[in-house]
Amino acid sequence: MSETATAAGSGANATATFARKERTGAAADPARVSAIATDTLQALHEIIRKHELTYAEYDALKAWLIQVGADGEWPLFLDVFVEHVVEEVANADRRGAVGTIEGPYYVPGAPVIESGSAMPMRPDEKGTPLLFQGTVTDLDGTPVAGATVDLWHADDEGYYSQFAPGIPEWNLRAVVHTGADGRFAFHTMQPAPYQIPTDGSTGAFITAAGWHPWRPAHLHLKVSAPGKQLVTTQLYFDGGDYVTDDVAQAVKPELVLRPGPAADGTGNEVTYDFALDPA
Ligand code: MBD
Ligand code: FE
């Protein structure tokens, strides 16, 4: 590999992307804010007592918190270490397709392509070709026509367009609308595992704790249709590195793909269906 994951070329860009995100519906009720803030601070106080935190450690924490902001890595850090529990709570009542975390690298507005065509990619895009296809249905299994399937993922070196340098803007990002039969298909290239940039503050935190900085190879998806709940999810590859040891704890058994050889002889193919809950 000619480049390695750098903070500047990856995690940091996610702050600018997050700043553009539409945000509504956060708690404005002082009683709720107070309850959450009180519990959060009490939990922190208990940790300080339990581990007898020293002043040197307290100052190291302050310096690190300041650095995460300076690096622009709060979206990266929070999505890796916190989002999985927010997602668990948000989607606890869902009966259809299983969701998981969005992560920091979604960009709305990807090109809409014909179902069955290739994702935007470089002429020499590296990797194993993958035909990813399926059907969007309601909870009864009735196909949903005109559903939106928004797919984005890293390349064969684990880099995301618009976050790592030197990749065309919409590389490996596209939207497909389902046909009358609810079906969709994308021709793409299988992604590689993703490494949290090791030279930024999130990487420093992981190194200091002696953990590994890897997520398993994954496809990101947002699937939606009028009158249905949008599902944000990821799909992983059976037997792949880190599938059982994701630093972001975002793998669920329902989300593991088992691709087979493609019928046309080029690479792999896999079918995955999404049942959407009513809105
Ligand atoms: C990713 O690619 C990702 O999906 C998450 C959740 C966090 C960091 C990088
Ligand atoms: Fe990702």
Side-chain angles (χ1 to χ4, degrees), residues 15-42:
T15 290
T17 304
F18 179 75
R20 275 179 241 120
K21 182 174 177 178
E22 205 178 310
R23 294 183 296 114
T24 53
D29 170 19
R32 180 167 169 83
V33 174
S34 177
I36 294 168
T38 299
D39 282 358
T40 302
L41 292 169
Q42 272 178 9

Side-chain angles (χ1 to χ4, degrees), residues 101-105 152-154 160 194 215-216 218-220 234:
I101 63 176
E102 174 171 327
Y105 301 143
W152 73 102
H153 62 83
Y160 285 88
Y194 173 85
R215 298 210 62 227
H218 55 279
L219 305 176
H220 287 273
Q234 300 182 29

Side-chain angles (χ1 to χ4, degrees), residues 152-269:
W152 73 102
H153 62 83
D155 67 14
D156 185 53
E157 295 194 321
Y159 295 119
Y160 285 88
S161 60
Q162 302 189 39
F163 296 90
I167 304 176
E169 186 175 23
W170 294 105
N171 212 246
L172 303 177
R173 298 175 181 272
V175 171
V176 157
H177 296 297
T178 58
D181 55 1
R183 291 180 56 80
F184 66 86
F186 296 83
H187 283 276
T188 191
M189 288 288 179
Q190 286 188 35
Y194 173 85
Q195 184 182 197
I196 310 294
T198 51
D199 62 336
S201 39
T202 305
F205 169 88
I206 291 167
T207 303
W211 303 339
H212 80 252
W214 292 93
R215 298 210 62 227
H218 55 279
L219 305 176
H220 287 273
L221 290 130
K222 284 181 181 284
V223 182
S224 61
K228 305 284 187 261
Q229 284 182 44
L230 179 151
V231 59
T232 299
T233 195
Q234 300 182 29
L235 298 171
Y236 307 91
F237 297 87
D238 189 38
D241 290 344
Y242 311 108
V243 169
T244 57
D245 191 21
D246 176 10
V247 67
Q249 295 178 245
V251 179
K252 302 179 186 183
E254 300 87 347
L255 302 178
V256 179
L257 299 171
R258 282 166 199 79
D264 69 1
T266 54
N268 294 328
E269 69 179 40

Side-chain angles (χ1 to χ4, degrees), residues 93-99 135-150 176 178 182 184 221-233 272-279:
D93 295 336
R94 192 168 272 166
R95 294 165 58 215
V98 171
T135 305
V136 180
T137 70
D138 66 14
L139 292 184
D140 300 329
T142 306
V144 176
T148 298
V149 183
D150 194 335
V176 157
T178 58
F184 66 86
L221 290 130
K222 284 181 181 284
V223 182
S224 61
K228 305 284 187 261
Q229 284 182 44
L230 179 151
V231 59
T232 299
T233 195
Y272 193 88
D273 300 329
F274 297 90
L276 299 183
D277 285 71

